[in-house]
Amino acid sequence: MGPRYDPDNLRFGAVIACNEEHLAPGAGFDEHPHSHTEIVTWVVEGELTHRDSTGRETVIRPGDVQRLSAASGVRHVERNAGDRPLTFLQMWLAPLEPGGDPRYEVVPGIADSTPYALPEAGAMLHVRRLTAGERTAVPDGAYAYVHVVRGEVTLDGETLAPGDAARLTDAKDVEAVAVSPAAELLLWEMRAV
């Protein structure tokens, strides 16, 4: 356990963790294992090269959604093989049922307002790109996790900047409003666990 370990802050709905990573060209994470975790990756800038124990190798770019269902176990490598700095978010969600065979998927260039279903975790990801003054509804539900990728938004009277997140329980009729000229949000809609 590291210095940031907080036993009261281990999980929210299906979300186990949300990490923001910054990798210089050539840097990365050597081969490491995962199991019983749904791993969703969102590249903010640069390109992420992913290679896993099934022999698959892909390059993930801004606007792509990558999902790795670790299931009963998989090993993978993540690197910045490009010549520009890389920033990406990696969100880990708990599956409803452990085990099974690992699965992998990339959805290239996901469009604004296109939901991405993650039924294995009882969750839905919504990507929103807003201009100044534009509003978006936060999905009503048992759990909503809002992460600001770019720009600034107000949410329930609070201003959130890039890297900020909000956790809402029993959300109903909540809106996010873009303050900056361009904002990008990732919103997780999750059922009760």
Side-chain angles (χ1 to χ4, degrees):
M1 291 180 267
R4 295 189 180 102
Y5 176 72
D6 179 356
D8 295 326
N9 192 20
L10 295 179
R11 185 170 168 175
F12 178 75
V15 175
I16 300 168
C18 180
N19 299 316
E20 183 173 317
E21 305 293 350
H22 301 269
L23 297 177
F29 299 100
D30 292 331
E31 188 173 85
H32 57 280
H34 288 282
S35 62
H36 312 298
T37 308
E38 298 294 319
I39 303 168
V40 177
T41 304
W42 182 262
V43 173
V44 178
E45 64 180 349
E47 295 181 344
L48 173 67
T49 298
H50 164 97
R51 187 178 72 245
D52 64 39
S53 53
T54 68
R56 180 180 297 108
E57 184 168 334
T58 56
V59 176
I60 313 306
R61 295 175 177 87
D64 297 348
V65 171
Q66 172 188 260
R67 193 259 314 244
L68 173 63
S69 290
S72 59
V74 68
R75 299 180 67 78
H76 73 152
V77 174
E78 297 162 304
R79 301 208 78 65
N80 180 358
D83 58 3
R84 298 183 359 218
L86 165 66
T87 301
F88 68 96
L89 295 173
Q90 196 162 80
M91 298 153 282
W92 297 2
L93 287 84
L96 297 172
E97 297 291 330
D101 294 325
R103 289 175 309 286
Y104 182 82
E105 159 176 62
V106 175
V107 179
I110 196 163
D112 181 50
S113 298
T114 301
Y116 177 76
L118 194 62
E120 293 83 357
M124 179 86 68
L125 176 64
H126 302 267
V127 178
R128 291 291 303 154
R129 297 175 186 101
L130 309 172
T131 59
E134 191 175 358
R135 301 172 175 274
T136 188
V138 172
D140 292 346
Y143 296 97
Y145 180 86
V146 180
H147 190 96
V148 179
V149 177
R150 291 183 176 84
E152 290 186 344
V153 300
T154 57
L155 182 71
D156 203 24
E158 297 289 326
T159 299
L160 303 176
D164 289 344
R167 300 173 181 189
L168 304 157
T169 53
D170 300 320
K172 183 144 179 69
D173 301 325
V174 178
E175 286 186 324
V177 181
V179 176
S180 57
E184 184 174 79
L185 305 172
L186 300 179
L187 302 103
W188 281 105
E189 171 186 2
M190 297 168 282
R191 67 184 198 194
V193 290

